[in-house]
Amino acid sequence: MKLHWSPRSPYVRKVMIAAHELGLAGRLDCVRSLAAMATPNPAIMQDNPLSKIPALVLDDGQVLIDSSVIVEYLDDLAGGRLVPVGTARWEAFSRQALANGLLDLLILWRNERDKPEARQTAAWLDAFAVKVGATLDRFEQMMPGMAAKPFDIGHIAVGCALSYADFRFADLGWRTGRPELTEWHVGFAARPSVLATGIVDA
Ligand SMILES: N[C@@H](CCC(=O)N[C@@H](CS)C(=O)NCC(=O)O)C(=O)O
């Protein structure tokens, strides 16, 4: 299976963590693919016209896009360990959606923050800060229940979003006032699948 991959992408990292958790990492042929909002990449677009990564090309040519879809596919392939059943399933999916939304916000925030000051929209910057803060608070409120659940697709997304905040928003101080989320993230960061997939600016 060919994976459009980058060591910088938190969405790709979700897929890589799942692959390691499921024992499937060796089956992925990771192809370095440069995805940037302002620069459509024809090599990616052959497989994903949105020019976004991750995109997974299966051996029969079928293409799966979106990190959550790909993680669910890998879980299915491995016999299902990361997607719970029953009520826990909807909890995990909701947690994943919230974390994906947090990642989307952080990326938009970074794009805006990195513009020359004269071109920044102050109202957007303020709104990003408010929404990111509220989402982090919600994760703190989800403790200790979230920490007690077996590791699932939602935990992967939350951990990747927090680690991305460390990577691109070191000054955000997301740990302040969120002791339980902080403690949970220490455990997340120590997992072999997470250690094997560190995000780097390369
Ligand atoms: N919802 C998608 C988001 C993927 C995404 O935005 N990936 C970024 C890389 S971190 C990308 O490809 N950006 C290029 C672009 O937006 O054109 C997912 O979960 O896979």
Side-chain angles (χ1 to χ4, degrees), residues 5 7 10 13 15 20 40 72 76 82 93 112 120 125 136 144 149 160 167 182 186:
W5 172 94
R13 192 180 192 195
V15 170
H20 280 273
E72 217 173 319
D76 200 41
L82 296 173
F93 282 169
E112 193 61 20
Q120 292 175 355
L125 291 170
L136 290 165
K149 301 257 169 2
C160 284
F167 182 58
T182 301
V186 171

Side-chain angles (χ1 to χ4, degrees), residues 24-166:
L24 293 174
R27 302 224 350 228
L28 296 177
D29 174 17
C30 294
V31 175
R32 177 74 164 97
S33 301
L34 278 175
M37 222 176 263
T39 317
N41 179 340
I44 301 174
M45 291 175 73
Q46 265 186 351
D47 294 320
N48 179 2
L50 299 174
S51 193
K52 283 181 182 255
I53 58 170
L56 183 70
V57 185
L58 305 185
D59 294 341
D60 66 1
Q62 192 187 344
V63 180
L64 302 180
I65 63 165
D66 197 278
S67 56
S68 301
V69 173
I70 298 171
V71 170
E72 217 173 319
Y73 170 77
L74 294 179
D75 192 61
D76 200 41
L77 195 63
R81 253 178 290 158
L82 296 173
V83 182
V85 291
T87 332
R89 181 183 191 84
W90 309 115
E91 275 178 40
F93 282 169
S94 292
R95 222 182 311 119
Q96 173 178 242
L98 198 55
N100 287 346
L102 177 58
L103 268 178
D104 295 344
L105 273 174
L106 289 171
I107 285 171
L108 290 172
W109 191 0
R110 176 170 177 249
N111 288 344
E112 193 61 20
R113 177 195 71 180
D114 289 354
K115 284 181 186 168
E117 211 169 319
R119 289 184 42 222
Q120 292 175 355
T121 304
W124 288 8
L125 291 170
D126 292 347
F128 291 141
V130 168
K131 290 189 250 186
V132 164
T135 308
L136 290 165
D137 287 344
R138 183 63 58 90
F139 285 132
E140 177 71 11
Q141 288 157 13
M142 286 179 177
M143 300 293 178
M146 181 181 123
K149 301 257 169 2
F151 192 72
D152 66 28
I153 193 168
H155 293 109
I156 293 178
V158 176
C160 284
L162 296 176
S163 296
Y164 183 75
D166 282 335

